[in-house]
Amino acid sequence: MLEKIKSIKAEVEAFQPKTIEDIENFRIKYLSKKGSISALFDDFKTVPAELKKEIGKELNILKQAALEKINTLKAALEIDEKSEIKVDLTRPGDPQNLGSRHPISIVRSEIISIFTRLGFIVTDGPEIEDDAHNFGMLNFPEDHPARDMQDTFFISPGLNILLRTHTSSVQAHEMSEIKPPIRSLSPGRVYRNEAISARANCFFHQIEGLYVDENVSFADLKQTLDYFAKEMFGESAQIRMRPSYFPFTEPSAEVDVSCTLCGGSGCNVCKGTGWLEILGCGMVDPNVFKSCGIDPEKYTGFAFGMGIERIAMLKYGIRDLRLFFENDLRFLNQFSSDV
Ligand code: PHE
C-alpha cells in the first residue's frame, strides 16, 4: 500500500494542467468517490492494526497535497483567464519617448566614419596626462606659454601631471609605443584654462588624426582634408590652407572651409570673408619623431586636429558654445540621428 501511495504522490506532484478542465479531470481521477485516492481510503480498512498509524499518516498527507494542488492551480489559472479578458488587443500602445543623441556625439560619429573610410582607426588615451606626452615629446619648448598655469590645468604642478590640453597627447603615446605605419584618429575631451564664453569653454572635444609612413606628403594631407570637407559639408565645399605655427608640425597650416551658409559669397557668419576656420594641421616635426623613437630619415607623417564643437556649430548654425554643455532638453530634443 505504501508503494501505491508513493506512486500516486509522484503523479500528483508532476501534474501540470493547461485549463480549468484539466484540473477538474484531475480531481475526478483522484479525489471523487471513485477516485484512486478515495479507493485507498476504502482499502485502509484492510490494513493490519500495527501499520495503520504509519499508512494513515501518509494517506492523509497525500490527500492534503492533492487538495492543495487543485486549489492553487485553480486560483492561478482563474487569474490568468480573467486578465486575458481584460486585455484589449486593439488598444493603441503607450507611446515611448525616444531619446536623441547629443549633437557632439552625432558629429563625432560622423567625423569618425569619414576618416575610417580612409583607413584610420580610432585610438584612445588618458585625459590625465604627464607633461611629457602633452608637451615635451611634442616639441613644446620649456618656456612655451601653453605650459603656464594660466593656460593649462595642472593637477600636480610639481609632478607635472595635468589635464590634457589636446588629444595630440594620444599621438605621442601611439608614436612611442607602436611602429609605423600608423593611421590613427583620437577623439576625446580636452581641457584649457579659459574664461567661459560663447566661443570658449574650459573643456571641449577634439578629434586629431595622424598618418605616419614612408613617403607621406603634404599633398596627401591636403587630399585627405579636402575629402573630409566634402563629405562633411557637401560636394561643393572647398578648402584653403593658410600658413600657421604649431610646435609639433613643420610646415603647419590652418584650414578654412568655404562658408557653409553663403557658400563663399560672404555673410555675417563668415564675417564677409566667405571662409570659416575648421582645423589645424601640418607635417609631423622631425623632433617629435626623434623624441618618440621613430627615424625621421625614413618616415614622414601628417597630423591634423579639430574641435568637434566648432564643426557642430558650423554644421547646425549654433552661435553659442555653452548650449552644448547646459543639457537643456529644448536644445537637445532638436537633434536626432541614426549614427
Ligand atoms: N593640437 C592642436 C590644437 O590643439 C591641433 C593640431 C593637431 C594642429 C595636429 C596641427 C596638427 O589646436
Side-chain angles (χ1 to χ4, degrees), residues 165-166 168 171 192 206 208-209 246 248-249 280-282 303-305:
T165 60
H166 52 183
S168 306
Q171 304 177 341
R192 292 185 192 175
Q206 276 194 331
E208 299 213 359
F246 298 103
F248 35 89
T249 47
C281 65
F304 58 86

Side-chain angles (χ1 to χ4, degrees), residues 155-175:
I155 291 176
S156 147
L159 293 171
N160 282 332
I161 305 294
L162 47 87
L163 293 177
R164 67 180 178 195
T165 60
H166 52 183
T167 52
S168 306
S169 55
V170 182
Q171 304 177 341
H173 281 284
E174 285 270 285
M175 285 188 280

Side-chain angles (χ1 to χ4, degrees), residues 25-296:
N25 289 337
F26 172 86
R27 191 192 63 79
I28 293 170
K29 184 169 171 199
Y30 295 101
L31 294 168
S32 67
K33 270 197 178 141
K34 290 199 174 121
S36 48
I37 295 179
S38 311
L40 287 179
F41 274 95
D42 290 341
D43 293 348
F44 184 68
K45 292 175 208 130
T46 63
V47 169
E50 67 273 19
L51 292 176
K52 267 203 156 77
K53 194 172 168 207
E54 188 193 354
I55 291 181
K57 191 173 152 206
E58 288 301 318
L59 210 47
N60 276 326
I61 290 175
L62 174 63
K63 188 176 175 186
Q64 212 45 46
L67 279 171
E68 252 168 44
K69 182 122 191 173
I70 288 174
N71 287 339
T72 48
L73 288 174
K74 230 182 182 167
L77 273 178
E78 270 165 5
I79 287 171
D80 271 5
E81 282 183 2
K82 264 194 209 143
S83 60
E84 246 170 55
I85 295 162
K86 274 195 202 134
V87 175
D88 175 2
L89 294 177
T90 62
R91 225 184 97 194
D94 292 334
Q96 296 287 326
N97 284 331
L98 281 185
S100 57
R101 299 196 72 199
H102 194 282
I104 296 300
S105 302
I106 296 173
V107 172
R108 182 188 53 208
S109 305
E110 216 171 317
I111 299 171
I112 289 175
S113 92
I114 294 170
F115 285 106
T116 46
R117 269 176 259 150
L118 295 175
F120 284 79
I121 54 159
V122 175
T123 51
D124 202 9
E127 289 183 19
I128 297 173
E129 263 301 353
D130 51 24
D131 182 280
H133 287 90
N134 197 76
F135 296 130
M137 292 158 86
L138 296 169
N139 201 33
F140 278 77
E142 277 303 326
D143 56 356
H144 193 284
R147 292 188 171 207
D148 198 281
M149 301 272 279
Q150 300 289 315
D151 294 295
T152 300
F153 289 113
F154 282 88
I155 291 176
S156 147
L159 293 171
N160 282 332
I161 305 294
L162 47 87
L163 293 177
R164 67 180 178 195
T165 60
H166 52 183
T167 52
S168 306
S169 55
V170 182
Q171 304 177 341
H173 281 284
E174 285 270 285
M175 285 188 280
S176 51
E177 284 157 27
I178 60 171
K179 287 198 167 60
I182 300 170
R183 209 182 295 168
S184 72
L185 207 56
S186 29
R189 191 185 291 223
V190 300
Y191 302 82
R192 292 185 192 175
N193 197 352
E194 306 233 21
I196 296 172
S197 72
R199 297 174 59 89
N201 203 347
C202 53
F203 69 88
F204 60 98
H205 300 81
Q206 276 194 331
I207 290 199
E208 299 213 359
L210 173 73
Y211 179 27
V212 181
D213 203 349
E214 292 176 38
N215 301 321
V216 176
S217 71
F218 200 90
D220 296 327
L221 170 61
K222 195 170 177 200
Q223 275 302 315
T224 305
L225 297 179
D226 191 54
Y227 172 77
F228 164 71
K230 288 190 164 45
E231 290 291 302
M232 190 75 205
F233 298 108
E235 250 326 288
S236 58
Q238 305 275 330
I239 60 163
R240 76 171 182 188
M241 289 175 137
R242 287 177 287 108
S244 185
Y245 172 77
F246 298 103
F248 35 89
T249 47
E250 180 59 34
S252 304
E254 251 154 315
V255 175
D256 299 337
V257 65
S258 49
C259 179
T260 46
L261 219 75
C262 64
S265 55
C267 67
N268 67 348
V269 170
C270 59
K271 299 199 187 81
T273 63
W275 296 97
L276 298 162
E277 187 192 320
I278 52 166
L279 57 87
C281 65
M283 300 305 291
V284 181
D285 194 297
N287 281 341
V288 173
F289 280 147
K290 273 187 222 151
S291 53
C292 294
I294 291 176
D295 180 1

